[in-house]
Amino acid sequence: MLRDFLTTADWTREELEELIESALRFKRGENRVKPLEGRSVALVFFNPSLRTRASMQVGVFELGGNAVVLEPGGTSWTLEHREGAVMDSDKTEHVAEFVRVLGRYCVGIGVRTFAALKNWEEERTDPILNAFAKYADVPVINLESAMQHPCQALADMMTIREKLGVWRKRVLLTWAWHPKPLPMAVPNSFALSAAQMGHDVTIAHPEGYELDDELMKEIRAQAEQAGGSLSLTNNVNEAFDGAEVVYAKSWGSKNFYGAQEKDLEERAQYRHDWIVDEEKMKRTNGAIFMHCLPVRRNVIVTDGVIDSASSVVIDEAENRLHIQKAIMARVLSSSS
Ligand code: CP
């Protein structure tokens, strides 16, 4: 049966655990299967990338396949995704044809499509990702959409397991100041998957930077089901007390989609207080420091923290390769 990988919420905890175990076997060199031998996988990038693009290309190669990398509006035609659109403007091809054509060449399609931060009500529904999933007759893998970055989140869960074992941990997701508003995909998926894995999750952010209400209900429900917990705070210092994992990420306020200059004005007051520094890390219970990268040094995190022994950011980036091989081996092996 065709199975997409769009959000970890579509996968049970047991299935996520199996993916992490499979990724650990790939990492240890115990799994040398080539399920993509003689097959191709399309990787569609609307936005820039280092880790996702490189690790997916290497991952497809290591599974025996060939990666077809496309950049709509660059190396392929500009793409329309709206139903019933009258395409008399700047969009040349519709997703309806684009993904079905790719499905005749490739056994799966990975897609990266960030939020434009223009229209919250629209973008919170992940319209471009869902258009890909709707029309594709091969599995679609989310390589970061407007609202989710599940490959990053599973690599993060794998990294926590590697560094701290299988036990329930006190995990802090902390907002950070950044010179421009960023999408919420990484914090959304990190908090969701940490809740699914049964951790005690704290989310710290300034007032006005709340994550999506429906997603928060899902995170709370997943935490309860998995035997973990969820707490929220606006106190950036107390948030660090006793944490075993510190995950830093900046994101824009949903109140300011389409009004980014207001977001910039609002966040200016938090510039110095919300950086992850040595003083805050001292409040933790020997926490590891995590960030998905790219990261702005001495803005999100000090050199002293990111260069310390507690920083695991390079391991997280490496684990993108192993977890994506596990995901591709799982969802693309059985497709024709
Ligand atoms: N973390 C992450 O997705 O990195 P890239 O944006 O470089 O792919």
Side-chain angles (χ1 to χ4, degrees), residues 48-52 112 144 149 152 292-294 320:
S49 167
L50 167 63
R51 281 142 289 270
T52 306
R112 162 163 286 200
E144 188 172 347
H149 197 355
Q152 178 68 53
C292 62
L293 305 180
R320 294 291 305 280

Side-chain angles (χ1 to χ4, degrees), residues 45 47-55 112 114 143-144 149 151-152 156 186 247 249 291-294 316-317 320 324:
F45 284 87
N47 311 100
S49 167
L50 167 63
R51 281 142 289 270
T52 306
R53 181 173 171 146
S55 60
R112 162 163 286 200
F114 289 171
L143 303 180
E144 188 172 347
H149 197 355
C151 294
Q152 178 68 53
D156 296 334
V186 169
Y247 197 99
K249 187 71 185 78
H291 190 281
C292 62
L293 305 180
E316 279 178 87
R320 294 291 305 280
Q324 287 155 194

Side-chain angles (χ1 to χ4, degrees), residues 12-320:
T12 65
R13 178 175 180 176
E14 290 68 33
E15 289 173 323
L16 299 178
E17 303 262 11
E18 281 169 18
L19 287 171
I20 291 172
E21 289 302 323
S22 169
L24 288 166
R25 286 195 294 279
F26 275 118
K27 187 168 186 174
R28 291 193 297 262
E30 294 166 9
N31 191 347
R32 298 183 183 278
V33 295
K34 304 270 183 198
L36 298 180
E37 194 143 26
R39 298 160 143 206
S40 292
V41 178
L43 304 177
V44 182
F45 284 87
F46 287 84
N47 311 100
S49 167
L50 167 63
R51 281 142 289 270
T52 306
R53 181 173 171 146
S55 60
M56 284 299 288
Q57 280 192 262
V58 171
V60 170
F61 173 77
E62 289 184 3
L63 294 178
N66 168 59
V68 178
V69 181
L70 298 165
E71 292 137 332
T75 53
S76 64
W77 304 112
T78 49
L79 276 187
E80 177 61 78
H81 68 277
R82 293 169 300 161
E83 297 288 330
V86 177
M87 292 171 55
D88 58 358
S89 184
D90 58 338
K91 303 289 168 55
T92 307
E93 181 151 40
H94 200 282
V95 168
E97 286 75 52
F98 180 87
V99 296
R100 286 183 296 168
V101 168
L102 284 178
R104 301 289 172 99
Y105 311 142
C106 301
V107 295
I109 302 173
V111 57
R112 162 163 286 200
T113 169
F114 289 171
L117 307 179
K118 286 184 180 156
N119 181 333
W120 169 251
E121 288 307 324
E122 184 185 340
E123 292 179 50
R124 65 177 292 282
T125 67
D126 252 333
I128 300 177
L129 176 72
N130 286 319
F132 270 66
K134 174 181 173 179
Y135 288 108
D137 41 28
V138 294
V140 173
I141 298 175
N142 183 354
L143 303 180
E144 188 172 347
S145 64
M147 290 293 279
Q148 294 287 339
H149 197 355
C151 294
Q152 178 68 53
L154 263 201
D156 296 334
M157 294 309 116
M158 175 182 172
T159 308
I160 293 172
R161 174 155 306 192
E162 272 187 315
K163 300 295 176 187
L164 303 176
V166 295
W167 300 279
R168 176 178 172 180
K169 293 290 163 193
R170 291 183 65 175
V171 171
L172 168 64
L173 166 63
T174 179
W175 185 89
W177 181 85
H178 188 279
K180 62 179 187 177
L182 299 177
M184 295 180 186
V186 169
N188 286 348
S189 289
F190 179 80
L192 175 62
S193 59
Q196 285 180 277
M197 301 308 282
H199 293 301
D200 293 312
V201 180
T202 297
I203 306 177
H205 56 72
E207 267 183 61
Y209 286 81
E210 293 77 18
L211 299 177
D212 180 65
D213 292 341
E214 263 184 48
L215 179 80
M216 289 304 299
K217 279 187 207 154
E218 171 81 27
I219 293 170
R220 195 172 293 284
Q222 292 280 4
E224 277 170 20
Q225 190 180 333
S229 65
L230 172 67
S231 56
L232 309 176
T233 180
N234 301 133
N235 187 320
V236 64
N237 292 309
E238 286 175 14
F240 282 71
D241 291 344
E244 294 164 290
V245 174
V246 171
Y247 197 99
K249 187 71 185 78
S250 189
W251 63 88
S253 168
K254 60 187 189 231
N255 304 323
F256 299 131
Y257 269 49
Q260 290 174 25
E261 67 291 347
K262 288 197 183 137
D263 197 317
L264 291 175
E265 280 168 31
E266 179 68 19
R267 68 177 51 220
Q269 62 188 299
Y270 305 118
R271 172 162 189 163
H272 300 294
D273 289 347
W274 284 78
I275 191 169
V276 178
D277 59 15
E278 291 85 334
E279 285 309 303
K280 293 193 187 78
M281 290 299 284
K282 275 186 201 152
R283 300 179 74 128
T284 70
N285 182 13
I288 55 171
F289 172 77
M290 303 183 76
H291 190 281
C292 62
L293 305 180
V295 69
R296 292 192 183 227
R297 283 172 172 257
N298 303 308
V299 169
I300 303 282
V301 57
T302 60
D303 283 341
V305 171
I306 197 170
D307 292 331
S308 73
S310 58
S311 172
V312 299
V313 296
I314 305 302
D315 301 299
E316 279 178 87
E318 179 191 339
N319 286 341
R320 294 291 305 280

